[in-house]
Amino acid sequence: SIQARAEAVARTEFLSNMSHEIRTPLNGIIGLNHLMERHIDDAEAMREYVGRLGKAAQYLLSLVNDILDVSKLQAGKVELVSEPFDLNALIDNVCSMQRGPMADRGIRFELSRAVRRPRLLGDEVRLSQVLMNILSNAVKFTPEGGCITVKVNEAVYASGETALLTVSVADTGCGMTKEFADHIFDAFTQERNRNSDSQKGTGLGMSISHLLVTQMGGSITVESEPGRGSCFT
C-alpha cells in the first residue's frame, strides 16, 4: 500500500539520520581519546578533555536510549510500574530542571494547578519523561522573551479511587503547520525546524511520549499555528 511504502521510506531516512547522529558524538569521543593520549601529563588540558568526553558520552547514551525506547514501546515490551508518588513534587521537579534554560533565554514561565489529591499511583519516571519531553521542546522552540504556560488539573471521579489528570503545556514559540502537527507523533518523523537553534537528537521525544501516554491509557494532542505557538495536552 501507499502508506506502507511511505513508512518504509521514512524508516530508511530515519536510520540514515540516526547513523549520522550517532557517528557525530562517537567521532568526538575517538578524537578526544587521541588528544588525551598525547597530552596525558597536562592536567589542565586533561580536565577539559574529560569534561568534553563526558558530555559526548552522555549525548550518545541519550540517542541510544531513545532508539531502544521506541523499539520496546512499539513491540509492547515496556513494563509500566504502579507505585505511589506525589504529583506536585513531580511537576515541581520537571519544571525546576527547565527553569535554568528558560531564565537563560528570558522566557517567562507560568504554572497553575488545581490538584486536590496529589498522592497518586502510577509510573512517576515515565510520566516525568513525557512532561520533560514536552516542556524541553517548548523551551527549544520558544524565542527569547516568549512565554510558556503549564496547567495541571486533576478531577477525582465519583468512586474516589480514580483521577483524570490533564496537563497542558502552551508556548508562544514558532508553532507548526497542520501537516507537520499531523505527523509529530510518528516514530520515524524527525523534528526539523528552521527556527530551532538546536536540531540535534533523535527527534523521537514526541513519539516516545505518545507511545507511553497511550500505554498508560491516556491521550496526547497538539494544537498549533505557525508563528503563534503550540499547546500540547
Side-chain angles (χ1 to χ4, degrees):
S1 74
I2 291 168
Q3 189 182 350
R5 275 204 300 277
E7 280 180 8
V9 170
R11 189 173 279 118
T12 304
E13 191 182 325
F14 170 79
L15 290 171
S16 157
N17 283 343
M18 282 310 94
S19 304
H20 177 73
E21 292 282 2
I22 287 169
R23 201 176 290 131
T24 305
L26 205 46
N27 280 339
I29 288 166
I30 292 164
L32 284 161
N33 191 51
H34 284 314
L35 286 169
M36 289 167 82
E37 283 174 342
R38 282 169 51 197
H39 300 96
I40 200 99
D41 295 324
D42 184 342
E44 193 59 39
M46 288 297 278
R47 251 195 298 278
E48 187 202 333
Y49 297 148
V50 167
R52 280 162 56 189
L53 193 71
K55 281 183 181 160
Q58 282 297 325
Y59 178 57
L60 184 60
L61 181 64
S62 74
L63 289 176
V64 174
N65 281 342
D66 274 2
I67 294 163
L68 290 174
D69 256 0
V70 159
S71 304
K72 278 188 194 166
L73 281 159
Q74 287 189 320
K77 287 182 178 163
V78 165
E79 299 268 325
L80 294 174
V81 302
S82 186
E83 291 174 353
F85 70 93
D86 186 303
L87 178 63
N88 283 328
L90 182 154
I91 300 288
D92 288 339
N93 193 32
V94 170
C95 292
S96 71
M97 283 193 266
Q98 288 298 320
R99 278 184 196 274
M102 284 191 270
D104 292 344
R105 310 258 310 272
I107 295 170
R108 198 169 80 251
F109 179 64
E110 294 170 5
L111 170 63
S112 71
R113 51 185 149 190
V115 178
R116 288 183 298 146
R117 299 191 192 175
R119 298 292 296 165
L120 301 174
L121 277 175
D123 196 321
E124 182 177 10
V125 171
R126 291 305 195 173
L127 203 50
S128 296
Q129 184 181 357
V130 171
L131 291 178
M132 184 61 89
N133 278 338
I134 296 168
L135 190 55
S136 63
N137 244 32
V139 173
K140 186 161 61 169
F141 292 108
T142 300
E144 286 195 19
C147 179
I148 292 173
T149 308
V150 174
K151 290 181 181 171
V152 186
N153 288 299
E154 175 221 49
V156 178
Y157 289 136
S159 66
E161 294 296 312
T162 313
L164 175 68
L165 183 64
T166 309
V167 182
S168 69
V169 180
D171 64 61
T172 57
C174 55
M176 55 191 133
T177 61
K178 186 183 183 307
E179 293 73 34
F180 190 86
D182 284 346
H183 293 285
I184 196 167
F185 301 120
D186 294 357
F188 299 106
T189 303
Q190 186 144 11
E191 54 192 44
R192 282 280 177 254
N193 193 305
R194 288 189 306 276
N195 296 47
S196 169
D197 55 5
S198 151
Q199 294 195 351
K200 286 179 153 186
T202 55
L204 287 173
M206 283 302 160
S207 51
I208 289 170
S209 300
H210 179 259
L211 288 162
L212 280 171
V213 169
T214 305
Q215 195 167 328
M216 290 177 187
S219 65
I220 181 168
T221 56
V222 61
E223 288 176 30
S224 186
E225 248 181 85
R228 304 195 62 173
S230 307
C231 181
F232 285 87
T233 304

